[in-house]
Amino acid sequence: MAYPQPARAPLLALAARLRASACDTVAGRYDLVHYRQWNNPARFGAAVREVVRWRGDDRSGGQLATQHPTGVVPVTHDWWQPGDLYSVGLVDPFTRTDVLREDIGINEPSPADPTEVLANLAHLSTWYSPRRDGRAATLTVLADLIPLTYYSRLVDRSGRPGIAVAATSGDRRALLVLHPDTGEVLAYESAHLGPFGWRVQTYRLYLAHSHATRRWWEPPARPRPAPLPRPLYPRPQQHWLLTTPPPCHTTTT
């Protein structure tokens, strides 16, 4: 990790020279997001969670998710018809700066908490795949947020090199890792200061931000009859989502 410095000037410079990613040319009505998240301590019994999401501008979408430990259901399937996806807003925040500032908490009456701003942006990045103009606007918005710390060299948990912005508020620290050329969000980390130093509470690795013309699965047209219950026996196991990467998927190590 390189020596930190104030974030405003480097973020504005990156926004000015931002490159388009391979995913910017991919057409499709759905934003496609694939991420893996580690939780410490485990949230709702899940220490590791992997999610693939599709989000449409008509507030339709779908989700495949798996977790470890697996629990009763190894893979969960969620599906939303148009208008049913209430967890995202009516307007794509990455197409309007005023909406983006509102959604990530900068337009609060009191001074914005920079750790909350980075956390909110990381959450939006689990639903949206902003194109180049949206990412440039995001960098400009972050540049106005004081104080943010900038790191010019950093590697995420998959081995991808990037840059990072960080913020500290009380006993909480937030870190957002970005692609050094395209500005795409690569990873997010939330840490808590304890008696023995900083301890990571959440680490989220974004494996793909792309677009798709359809979801990789659809619910059955007719409800299937429920299968007969089978005896349940304790057995340790682990499930991962094995999916075909999109053409613009960033290779990880």
Side-chain angles (χ1 to χ4, degrees):
M1 181 179 292
Y3 188 78
Q5 62 185 96
R8 177 174 172 79
L11 289 179
L12 291 177
L14 177 58
R17 63 174 176 82
L18 203 64
R19 296 181 185 177
S21 71
C23 294
D24 289 336
T25 59
V26 177
R29 59 186 295 256
Y30 291 107
D31 282 12
L32 171 63
V33 183
H34 181 190
Y35 68 90
R36 185 176 300 159
Q37 179 169 317
W38 291 262
N39 301 310
N40 182 27
R43 295 180 179 176
F44 311 108
V48 184
R49 180 173 169 83
E50 186 168 356
V51 179
V52 178
R53 281 177 174 171
W54 298 263
R55 183 208 63 87
D57 288 336
D58 58 356
R59 301 177 78 182
S60 65
Q63 175 176 286
L64 296 177
T66 185
Q67 64 183 32
H68 178 77
T70 56
V72 178
V73 182
V75 181
T76 58
H77 303 70
D78 293 301
W79 180 77
W80 296 279
Q81 298 186 49
D84 285 349
L85 195 52
Y86 298 107
S87 56
V88 297
L90 294 173
V91 179
D92 183 345
F94 294 97
T95 62
R96 288 180 50 178
T97 304
D98 57 335
V99 177
L100 178 62
R101 293 175 63 90
E102 186 71 28
D103 283 2
I104 64 178
I106 291 183
N107 289 345
E108 297 291 338
S110 58
D113 183 343
T115 61
E116 285 294 333
V117 170
L118 295 184
N120 293 335
L121 181 57
H123 173 70
L124 289 180
S125 299
T126 66
W127 286 104
Y128 295 91
S129 295
R131 300 186 188 270
R132 181 188 177 280
D133 290 345
R135 299 194 302 273
T138 303
L139 293 173
T140 303
V141 168
L142 288 180
D144 293 334
L145 185 63
I146 299 174
L148 281 182
T149 303
Y150 175 83
Y151 295 90
S152 61
R153 293 188 303 274
L154 187 141
V155 177
D156 68 15
R157 284 192 178 185
S158 69
R160 296 174 296 186
I163 63 172
V165 290
T168 302
S169 178
D171 60 353
R172 184 184 179 190
R173 184 183 66 191
L175 178 75
L176 197 67
V177 184
L178 307 174
H179 192 283
D181 297 317
T182 65
E184 294 174 289
V185 178
L186 300 181
Y188 165 74
E189 176 186 289
S190 176
H192 177 77
L193 182 61
F196 304 102
W198 291 103
R199 183 181 184 186
V200 176
Q201 302 293 297
T202 297
Y203 193 96
R204 186 181 302 137
L205 192 68
Y206 299 87
L207 300 174
H209 276 110
S210 185
H211 301 85
T213 57
R214 61 181 181 86
R215 291 168 286 210
W216 296 344
W217 72 279
E218 296 288 344
R222 296 180 180 179
R224 298 178 181 178
L228 296 176
R230 295 181 299 174
L232 298 178
Y233 300 98
R235 183 177 59 182
Q237 56 181 336
Q238 187 168 353
H239 294 262
W240 296 102
L241 295 179
L242 301 178
T243 59
T244 303
C248 59
H249 182 81
T250 302
T251 302
T252 60
T253 57

